Each structure stands twice: as C-alpha cells, then as structure tokens.
Amino acid sequence: MAYLQRKHCIAKRTVDVFAVDATVFEVLLQIVLRVCAFTGTYGVNYGRIADNLPSPESVVTLLKAAKIKNIRIYDAAHEVLEAFKGSGIEIVVGLGNENLRDFSVSQDRAINWVKENVQPFLPGTHIRGIAVGNEVLGSDDQELGEVLLPAVKNVYNALDLLHLTNVVQVLSPHSAAVFASSFPPSAGAFKESVLPYMKPLLQFFSQIDSPFYINSYPFLAYKSDPGHIDLNYALFLSNPGIYDAKTKLHYDNMFEAQIDAAYAALEKAGFDKTEVIVSETGWASRGDENEAGATVKNARNYNYNLYKRLAKKKGTPYRPKTVVKAYVFALFNENLKPGPTSERNFGLFKADGSIAYNMGFTGLVPSSAASSLFSVKHTGLQGWFGSSYSLTYMSCAAAVLLILSS
C-alpha cells in the first residue's frame, strides 16, 4: 500500500502501489483532497444550541441544495458525523474549551478522543479539521490561555500517531479580543497580554502549516459604534470607504479591512507567511432595541454581498494574491443561545428549514422570504458553488490516478 506525504499542494509517492481496491483509492483521494481542504471559499457554521432544528440528515439535504461544501460544527456529535457520511461535505469538528485543561496534560486523552470521534468516521465522512478551543486567547481566563498550546500539541500528536495529519488539520479560532488595535488595518497588532501565548501558538501552527483563524464581525463593530461607522461600509454597499495612509490602500468594506488588520498583526509578531481564514462572520436579522443594525434587510445585504465577494475568489487590498475564505455564522437561528436577542438570530435559515431571508438558497419548506430578487441562478453563483467543487474533486481524483500510475 502507498504512504503519501503531502505539503503545500505536493503529493509524493514513497512506496510503489501494486494493487489498489476501492477503499484504498478513497483513502488516497482523501489525502489528496487535503490539499483542497476548503473546497472553494464559502463555508457555514452549523451551530446546534437549539431544541427545534431539523435532523442532521435533513441538514445534509439542505446543504446539498444550497451547494454548500464546507461546514464547521462546535463538537464532534456522532449523529452529525454519521449523517454526513458519503455527502462529500468537508467538516471541521470542535473540541470545546471545557476540555482543554484535561487534554493539555494527557496525551492518552487526546488519542482516545481522536480514536472515538474522528478516526471511525474516516474516510466516509470528510472530517478536514479539528478546532481546538474557540476564542480562548484574549478572554479573562488566563489559565485557559496557558493550556491552549499544550492541548493543541497533544491533539496534533494524536493525529500523527494515528497517521491522520495528512488528512485532518489542527486549528484554533480567535476573536477580535486578541487585538490591541485594528484601525486603520496597517495598525493591526496583538495585545501585549496575548503575545506570550499567541507567539508560541503561531510558531507551532507555522510548523504544521495551519492558518490563523479569526472570527470577524463587522456587525459587532457597527453595533458598538453606529454613530461613527458607515453602515454601507459594513454591508459591502456603496460608500466612500477608508484610506490607510501607511500602506496607501483604499478599503470599501470593513470585512477586508479586518482581515488585513489580522495580517498586519501577524507580521508584527513575526509570522508574515501565515494565511488568514475567517472562521466566523455574519449579521443578525433581529436584535434588542439597543442592538443597532440588527434587521432582516441588513442581514440579507451583508450575507448576500459577502457571498458574491467570496465567489470572486480574490484577495484583500493588502494580500491580493491570497484568496479570502470564510465560514458564515450561522446555518440556523438557535433558540437556546444565551445573551441578547441577536445571538439567537444569525441564521441563514429558520429552525423549520425555511430561509430566514432570500439569498437564492432553497429551504426545506417554502418561505415568504423567497423571491427572485436575489436569486443565485440570476447571478451565476449557483454554478460557481456547484461546478468548482466538482472540478476540484475531479482534479484531485485525477491526481490520485496519476500518482498510482507513475
């Protein structure tokens, strides 16, 4: 059997393959597809803090109809992973913050967790990453920050011992709380209190070729200061934009400005080669009276314009050659989430599977929000999401055949 090593989109055959059955071919295809772990540029966070959501099997149907090929869940629920078997949808699973302390001191705990929650579902379920913790650094819990890197290393070592590092990536998403400044984008910098934990984490991630994942929310920025932030700038609509005098770059939307602020912070920390991927972004369709901008109209504008922006497969003003990739938050409105009303209204879909507002997606049930106003088929985006994955998959399959025949 072949053992393939892959890094930076290079697959090398190290042992000759004399006979390959369908199962082995699938394993090899999984390895090559690791190169394309984020197929396309658009993904969605599938949160499940609710008691009224469709079954995971129905969610697969919903995602396929919407041509969404990348999702992130916040745990490793077996019923979800089983339902996604054979769907071709790429999944990032989550290891909650409550587990970090135990995992930081126990390699065996990490190995057992991977054996129980990841390995049994491969290769049928396309698990592509493990998010270790969520928004750990920058919080008030200093102890949690201290155990993050040891936990990350133990999860990676577990994957390595099980020969899964060429298939499953290790990552850890951050919030904007890790930054001391982010405006203008060139002023992006990490907090001094975060750096003692962030720099060693970034060093390890650079060694294993893992990107920097950031949760980016123009909605939260606008909500906190609506008097000084142009709503159109936050929604990708026509506006004067901002000018960064240091880089001499113009920004016409906050989303790209926030990404470039992350790149600036990474450069200052000594990691200018690290890619930035947005692990969460979105806009609430409803909120409390004091939550400025939380309306259906604004949510639709933000998410639809983001959708179009990602479909262009372009970079940011500061990193024009690095294609922007993002997971939208969230797939559903989640009725049991604590906090302000907005927290329960970030969904592209309502709990019954109907669309929350029209972006061209097809819901599980008809909705009054449906119209041709923002129909995907009228923009050509539906073909982009469908054909790009198919072409990527076929290219990867061809790569496997090439490796086996060489």
Side-chain angles (χ1 to χ4, degrees), residues 20-302:
V20 179
D21 60 19
T23 301
V24 174
F25 179 84
E26 173 66 14
V27 172
L28 295 175
L29 183 58
Q30 295 278 342
I31 294 171
V32 176
L33 279 172
R34 169 64 179 82
V35 178
C36 319
F38 202 138
T39 51
T41 58
Y42 186 87
V44 178
N45 288 278
Y46 173 22
R48 303 188 329 282
I49 304 178
D51 60 6
N52 57 354
L53 298 182
S55 68
E57 291 78 11
S58 294
V59 171
V60 171
T61 301
L62 187 69
L63 292 171
K64 284 187 171 183
K67 308 295 184 185
I68 295 171
K69 292 294 182 179
N70 302 276
I71 70 157
R72 176 179 164 224
I73 59 176
Y74 293 85
D75 52 22
H78 289 195
E79 66 270 21
V80 174
L81 298 178
E82 186 62 37
F84 278 75
K85 183 177 181 180
S87 68
I89 297 170
E90 314 283 350
I91 304 176
V92 172
V93 299
L95 180 67
N97 292 354
E98 67 277 8
N99 297 302
L100 298 185
R101 290 178 176 86
D102 288 344
F103 277 58
S104 69
V105 296
S106 176
Q107 180 70 77
D108 288 343
R109 182 76 184 273
I111 292 172
N112 290 336
W113 187 89
V114 173
K115 282 183 176 180
E116 180 181 344
N117 298 290
V118 177
Q119 190 178 37
F121 299 97
L122 296 169
T125 302
H126 292 187
I127 299 174
R128 291 289 174 257
I130 300 173
V132 180
N134 187 50
E135 299 188 340
V136 173
L137 302 184
S139 70
D140 296 329
D141 193 336
Q142 182 176 340
E143 183 187 351
L144 205 58
E146 292 172 350
V147 301
L148 176 59
L149 179 56
V152 164
K153 286 183 174 179
N154 279 342
V155 171
Y156 179 81
N157 289 337
L159 290 170
D160 192 35
L161 288 168
L162 297 171
H163 309 294
L164 295 175
T165 54
N166 282 335
V167 181
V168 182
Q169 187 179 68
V170 178
L171 55 112
S172 187
H174 304 284
S175 74
V178 300
F179 300 121
S181 59
S182 59
F183 183 85
S186 62
F190 293 117
K191 291 177 179 176
E192 289 297 325
S193 60
V194 167
L195 281 173
Y197 310 109
M198 181 66 80
K199 290 185 78 169
L201 183 67
L202 291 172
Q203 182 61 46
F204 181 70
F205 279 149
S206 70
Q207 293 170 1
I208 64 172
D209 195 27
S210 183
F212 177 80
Y213 283 80
I214 183 69
N215 295 342
S216 174
Y217 282 97
F219 166 70
L220 297 180
Y222 178 77
K223 185 180 79 166
S224 67
D225 194 10
H228 295 92
I229 295 176
D230 186 343
L231 179 60
N232 286 354
Y233 176 65
L235 295 176
F236 301 92
L237 298 174
S238 179
N239 69 94
I242 64 135
Y243 177 73
D244 191 322
K246 181 177 180 180
T247 59
K248 297 181 171 55
L249 294 173
H250 179 266
Y251 291 85
D252 61 13
N253 67 84
M254 187 185 293
F255 176 73
E256 292 180 357
Q258 289 183 341
I259 294 173
D260 278 352
Y263 276 120
L266 288 167
E267 283 191 1
K268 292 181 179 71
F271 297 92
D272 60 317
K273 305 294 185 184
T274 299
E275 178 187 8
V276 173
I277 293 179
V278 176
S279 40
E280 287 183 18
T281 189
W283 199 285
S285 59
R286 185 178 169 218
D288 296 321
E289 288 186 6
N290 64 345
E291 293 189 284
T295 68
V296 169
K297 180 181 178 181
N298 290 339
R300 182 177 60 185
N301 276 329
Y302 181 81

Side-chain angles (χ1 to χ4, degrees), residues 337-360:
K337 289 198 72 175
T341 298
S342 63
E343 284 293 318
R344 295 176 288 283
N345 290 278
F346 273 90
L348 300 176
F349 296 89
K350 298 176 182 178
D352 63 0
S354 64
I355 57 175
Y357 39 82
N358 188 65
M359 279 182 46

